[in-house]
Amino acid sequence: MSHAQPLTARLDRLRERLASHRPWTEPDPDAGGLRWAAVAVILAPAPDAVLLIRRAERAGDPWSGHMALPGGRREPGDDDLSTTAIRETAEEVGLILPRDHLLGTLDDVAPRTPVLPPIAIRPFVFLLRERSPLTLNREVASARWVDLDGLLLPGTHHPVRLEIAGESRDVAAYQLDDAIVWGMTERVLSGLLAHIERG
């Protein structure tokens, strides 16, 4: 059974920083051009960690099998993109994210490669006091809490060579023990860690 944990000074400082942060945003989510999605960057203490998922292998999914953050595309019934992040998190991992646990928003992220769909992602940062049990749906193969200290270690973040759409490319990535976090998820995490490393 999980219990509420006190916040570390690091997470307390992050909460203060994001409260005043004005994120860079793509054009109006209701304007044409890009399709929109939202992800939840879920943090919890003891030790300080972020929740990552591995997407299930699915034919036709450009992110099949990738490490990711809970989230997905905006649906017509979503009032706004924060609603999308909250709904998708509940569907994918069974976590209910109260709005009063929302710390703020990181910069929008859009694909840098033409092989991916023209979709922009807005990351919403949530802070939980405890780690509730997860219930994964069929879109998620696994989930784990990844310690922030490990992500901040020198050497964890470095270029890796991947085959993308039949082409060999060097991409920035976080190397976990048995997984690589790259692409838009890497960019969201790098944005988060930049706030944390500011002291």
Side-chain angles (χ1 to χ4, degrees):
M1 188 174 189
S2 58
H3 299 282
Q5 300 290 334
L7 291 187
T8 59
R10 171 168 57 193
L11 293 182
D12 227 9
R13 286 194 303 270
L14 179 65
R15 178 170 56 184
E16 293 173 3
R17 189 163 293 131
L18 288 180
S20 60
H21 175 59
R22 293 186 177 277
W24 179 85
T25 58
E26 289 281 352
D28 183 347
D30 295 318
L34 288 171
R35 287 177 289 170
W36 280 87
V39 295
V41 183
I42 306 168
L43 303 173
D48 294 349
V50 61
L51 181 65
L52 293 182
I53 64 172
R54 185 187 292 278
R55 306 207 68 82
E57 300 278 352
R58 293 198 302 170
D61 180 358
W63 294 282
S64 176
H66 289 194
M67 297 299 294
L69 296 153
R73 295 182 183 180
R74 184 177 185 179
E75 293 187 354
D78 295 341
D79 292 335
D80 54 27
L81 285 166
S82 65
T83 301
T84 303
I86 291 169
R87 174 184 55 75
E88 286 281 344
T89 299
E91 291 174 4
E92 291 184 345
V93 297
L95 279 183
I96 306 302
L97 298 175
R99 285 193 179 271
D100 61 0
H101 287 53
L102 175 61
L103 297 191
T105 309
L106 300 174
D107 294 349
D108 290 349
V109 175
R112 289 176 172 163
T113 172
V115 301
L116 291 176
I119 190 165
I121 291 174
R122 183 158 296 166
F124 293 89
V125 182
F126 290 86
L127 178 57
L128 304 181
R129 294 287 189 133
E130 59 186 353
R131 304 183 191 190
S132 300
L134 304 177
T135 304
L136 310 184
N137 75 357
R138 59 182 177 78
E139 298 177 9
V140 180
S142 62
R144 68 170 85 175
W145 291 97
V146 177
D147 291 356
L148 296 183
D149 284 336
L151 292 173
L152 290 164
L153 281 175
T156 300
H157 188 249
H158 57 81
V160 298
R161 178 150 290 203
L162 297 176
E163 289 288 326
I164 303 171
E167 188 178 317
S168 184
R169 298 186 185 184
D170 288 326
V171 298
Y174 290 93
Q175 180 76 59
L176 306 182
D177 50 359
D178 62 346
I180 295 171
V181 182
W182 66 286
M184 290 194 286
T185 302
E186 177 272 332
R187 290 164 60 196
V188 172
L189 287 182
S190 291
L192 172 74
L193 296 177
H195 283 287
I196 290 172
E197 287 184 304
R198 283 170 52 193

